[in-house]
Amino acid sequence: MAIHRRRVIAAGVFLGMVFMLPTGHSWYEESREQRAGRELLRDACGGVLPEREARAILGGGPLKGSSDSVRGEEGLGRKDEPLEAGCLIVRKKPEKAYGFEDASIGVSLHGTRAPGGGEDGERERPDDPYPAFYPDAPVPLPGGWTGFLSARDAPYEDRGTAAVFLDCAGDRRDLLVTVSVRVGDTGLGDPAHRIRIGRLATATARNAAQQWGCEARFGERPRTVPLPVAEDVPLGEADGTCEGVPARGRTFARAWESDRGGAPQEVCSVGNSGGTPLYSLRAFYGPYATSARVALGKRYSFEKTIPGRTPSGTLPDGGLWATAACPAPFAGETALFTIEPLGREREKSTRGEQAYERAALKAFAEASAEHHGCSAPRLP
């Protein structure tokens, strides 16, 4: 009987071990994936991606990623080759063998173009790190940062882009950190999601500054981040990017604007009382002004006078541009202000429209330049 009992106990222990094997195997795989994820986040983008903020967006689950080669490992670059680094981190749903990733983070880090680069400094590149034109009005990152959040809506995704610009002390190039985030089911309408993007961008900027020797002024950890949607208000009541832009009857009676803050890009749209935007006014500072000149130069390469290359002028498709000299953090870059008609192609502005364009650009450029501490704009 004792021998029989020992056999029963041994069989029970064996069966228990058999039933426990799948659980143990699952735990081992999960632990291995967690370690691999931590290593991936630790090494991504030259080691400056903050794990806590990245995981707040990516969540749990397996990760995969890739990193661009880092150029300028010894600093932001004092010679011809500025810092360039980037990475992409993706989380896929375990049950998905095909289809779209569940969440992704793309980061690019750049030592800015050398101030006053001229033709060489304004050379166009396919992967321009300073995209000048976003479909939605960018909103400034709060807390004293020089940066903004913008959105790009596309099928099957809602992508948020946050950029942080750091003015580095001394003779080093400045530092630009751009973070692009996509989460399948979470849009920018969720305030918590916007905060997570803002915190990821600002924490990455802090780490990158330490990594590459950029002594700069930092802002505070974001507690709120506005929604990057232009607010529709009566033009006379505008107190953001459209403040001071004149109205003209019912033709120019509405404004679509956002706060100014420290954003290196500003957008103001004006339109009629029926809710149709008719003009877009934009301000570009620092490297974004350089990028805007490149984009305008490409668009009007067949013209004798390239918009933005002279202090002020008239756009071939209607509209105007103006410029201003600015102090830090945009010292060495000439700010650019434009007003362009919407929904028109190769139509010259009438005298009445030209008069309004000048008045609107003057008010917009002067208010924006004053806000950023720049000189009085040179107007057409």
Side-chain angles (χ1 to χ4, degrees):
M1 292 296 292
I3 295 176
H4 178 69
R5 283 197 298 272
R6 285 198 294 270
R7 288 176 179 174
V8 170
I9 293 172
V13 171
F14 174 76
L15 289 174
M17 291 176 63
V18 169
F19 286 122
M20 288 176 63
L21 280 176
T23 303
H25 179 71
S26 175
W27 173 86
Y28 175 76
E29 287 295 323
E30 182 179 356
S31 178
R32 188 165 66 97
E33 289 176 351
Q34 289 176 348
R35 290 196 302 269
R38 285 195 298 269
E39 292 176 0
L40 178 63
L41 291 175
R42 183 191 62 202
D43 298 335
C45 282
V48 301
L49 194 64
E51 181 178 356
R52 181 179 65 172
E53 285 78 6
R55 273 298 187 183
I57 292 174
L58 295 170
L63 302 177
K64 66 177 182 179
S66 61
S67 293
D68 295 337
S69 59
V70 175
R71 189 171 74 192
E73 293 88 344
E74 297 180 356
L76 292 173
R78 302 177 185 222
K79 299 180 180 179
D80 296 332
E81 300 294 333
L83 164 73
E84 288 190 5
C87 59
L88 174 66
I89 308 296
V90 173
R91 187 199 77 201
K92 295 194 70 173
K93 289 183 178 180
E95 68 271 15
K96 281 190 175 181
Y98 303 99
F100 294 94
E101 292 86 359
D102 187 41
S104 68
I105 293 174
V107 180
S108 64
L109 306 104
H110 293 268
T112 64
R113 296 183 177 102
E119 292 296 328
D120 292 335
E122 295 182 4
R123 183 170 58 250
E124 184 183 13
R125 46 183 295 165
D127 58 338
D128 189 353
Y130 322 109
F133 297 97
Y134 285 85
D136 293 310
V139 295
L141 290 177
W145 295 95
T146 300
F148 62 88
L149 173 71
S150 188
R152 188 189 76 184
D153 293 324
Y156 310 108
E157 69 176 10
D158 189 354
R159 188 182 297 274
T161 299
V164 177
F165 180 79
L166 294 180
D167 177 30
C168 304
D171 60 349
R172 292 183 177 275
R173 296 172 186 264
D174 295 328
L175 177 63
L176 178 68
V177 177
T178 305
V179 173
S180 182
V181 171
R182 179 165 65 82
V183 180
D185 299 328
T186 305
L188 292 180
D190 181 357
H193 184 49
R194 297 197 302 272
I195 293 173
R196 287 191 288 266
I197 297 176
R199 288 179 174 177
L200 174 65
T202 53
T204 302
R206 282 180 178 271
N207 293 344
Q210 182 178 4
Q211 175 82 353
W212 286 294
C214 171
E215 296 182 11
R217 179 187 61 82
F218 300 131
E220 298 177 355
R221 182 176 171 85
R223 296 183 178 180
T224 61
V225 177
L227 184 67
V229 175
E231 184 180 0
D232 178 11
V233 297
L235 191 50
E237 298 178 10
D239 58 1
T241 53
C242 290
E243 184 176 11
V245 176
R248 198 182 87 180
R250 296 175 60 86
T251 305
F252 302 108
R254 305 294 299 181
W256 290 262
E257 65 171 1
S258 59
D259 292 334
R260 279 203 166 97
Q265 292 192 58
E266 296 178 4
V267 179
C268 162
S269 298
V270 297
N272 59 32
S273 57
T276 301
L278 300 175
Y279 278 104
S280 176
L281 295 112
R282 292 177 177 266
F284 305 97
Y285 293 90
Y288 294 98
T290 301
S291 183
R293 289 185 178 89
V294 171
L296 291 171
K298 181 179 179 181
R299 186 192 308 176
Y300 299 114
S301 60
F302 51 86
E303 298 288 342
K304 292 182 179 179
T305 301
I306 301 298
R309 295 291 177 86
T310 56
S312 62
T314 302
L315 293 171
D317 291 338
L320 307 164
W321 82 83
T323 58
C326 299
F330 307 119
E333 297 278 1
T334 302
L336 178 65
F337 312 94
T338 64
I339 180 171
E340 296 186 78
L342 301 174
R344 293 200 334 227
E345 293 184 4
R346 307 299 297 168
E347 295 181 14
K348 292 185 177 180
S349 301
T350 65
R351 286 189 176 182
E353 289 171 337
Q354 291 175 1
Y356 180 79
E357 290 168 5
R358 287 189 174 88
L361 180 62
K362 181 177 185 296
F364 172 75
E366 288 179 347
S368 181
E370 181 180 2
H371 177 81
H372 290 280
C374 303
S375 65
R378 299 183 65 176
L379 299 161

